[in-house]
Amino acid sequence: MTSRTASSQAAFAAQLDAEQATPLLAPLVAVLARAERLVVTHVALDHFRDVAAVVAGPTERLRVQFLFPSLLPDAAHADPETVRSAAGILARLPRIEVVPDAVAPVFAQIQAKLDAHGQARNAAAAAAAASGTGGRGSKLPPLYVNGRRPGKLKWLHAQVFGTGHGLGATTVTANLALVRSLQELGVPLSVWVHQPRSLTERKDLMMVVSGGEGRGESP
């Protein structure tokens, strides 16, 4: 077993333990059920579909089917009563509306600066390599936005948080580090941060089979 695999299993086990100690679904639903409107951006839903298609366990797939009936085609044949039973308290949520990605200008401006800096860095490295200097002189000064060095922001983040900002919505996220980075850059945000929870049902089943106690190590 590689160190990366061991680290991944430890992270999953930690989240499973956290979920057993402080279940997240009920308080999360309690917050979301009070919303007048629930929305998800196209890019966020696409990302969720890709993750769920690979790692979601049986009950998780049924819950996905309940929330987004056409998202996972292989789950479309599931018995409706089975889907409703698996959904449980998710039935309290209003319908989730899929909205176009519409990035607010402040996010687009930051992303444009990041893209330009990345392109300049790559061009400088290519020029240094072509000149035979071995990379010497290829480093650019670090990029600062509003007096701060931005963290690992991606266009995906701009699409999700930027669309939420443009709609005047509160974005629900587990990415506290990203929220802090955006706040340090002076980006106005309305967010509700919850503890991280991966789709761990399948991983938990694998641990039970391999370890016997729900925390065994996979081969």
Side-chain angles (χ1 to χ4, degrees):
M1 182 171 59
T2 66
S3 60
R4 177 175 293 182
T5 301
S7 175
S8 175
Q9 289 183 348
F12 273 114
Q15 290 198 26
L16 288 167
D17 288 337
E19 178 61 22
Q20 290 179 355
T22 55
L24 177 64
L25 185 59
L28 183 59
V29 168
V31 171
L32 297 179
R34 296 196 298 267
E36 295 181 2
R37 181 188 182 198
L38 292 181
V39 301
V40 61
T41 68
H42 277 293
V43 69
L45 188 59
D46 288 345
H47 185 70
F48 175 65
R49 179 199 60 219
D50 294 343
V51 172
V54 175
V55 303
T59 302
E60 291 165 342
R61 297 182 77 85
L62 290 172
R63 289 173 173 171
V64 172
Q65 172 71 7
F66 177 81
L67 294 173
F68 306 104
S70 61
L71 195 64
L72 298 177
D74 63 315
H77 63 277
D79 176 66
E81 184 56 37
T82 302
V83 173
R84 284 192 293 270
S85 177
I89 60 174
L90 292 178
R92 295 167 51 191
L93 297 177
R95 185 181 66 86
I96 302 175
E97 178 185 351
V98 182
V99 298
D101 305 304
V103 181
V106 63
F107 285 84
Q109 292 165 6
I110 292 175
Q111 191 62 44
K113 292 179 180 179
L114 289 170
D115 291 345
H117 188 264
Q119 292 170 4
R121 183 180 60 243
N122 293 339
S131 66
T133 61
R136 293 188 300 274
S138 64
K139 290 187 177 180
L140 294 178
L143 173 66
Y144 286 87
V145 177
N146 296 336
R148 295 277 188 172
R149 294 183 64 175
K152 296 181 179 180
L153 304 181
K154 301 178 181 179
W155 184 237
L156 170 65
H157 303 144
Q159 289 173 297
V160 174
F161 286 84
T163 300
H165 177 71
L167 292 173
T170 296
T171 300
V172 179
T173 180
N175 197 334
L176 179 58
L178 175 64
V179 170
R180 286 174 174 168
S181 294
L182 290 171
Q183 289 174 334
E184 288 176 353
L185 295 177
V187 177
L189 289 176
S190 175
V191 295
W192 193 80
V193 182
H194 61 80
Q195 295 180 0
R197 293 289 191 275
S198 299
L199 294 173
T200 54
E201 182 183 23
R202 178 178 292 179
K203 197 71 173 180
D204 197 20
L205 292 173
M206 291 172 61
M207 288 181 173
V208 170
V209 170
S210 61
E213 297 296 334
R215 290 295 178 270
E217 292 185 351
S218 299

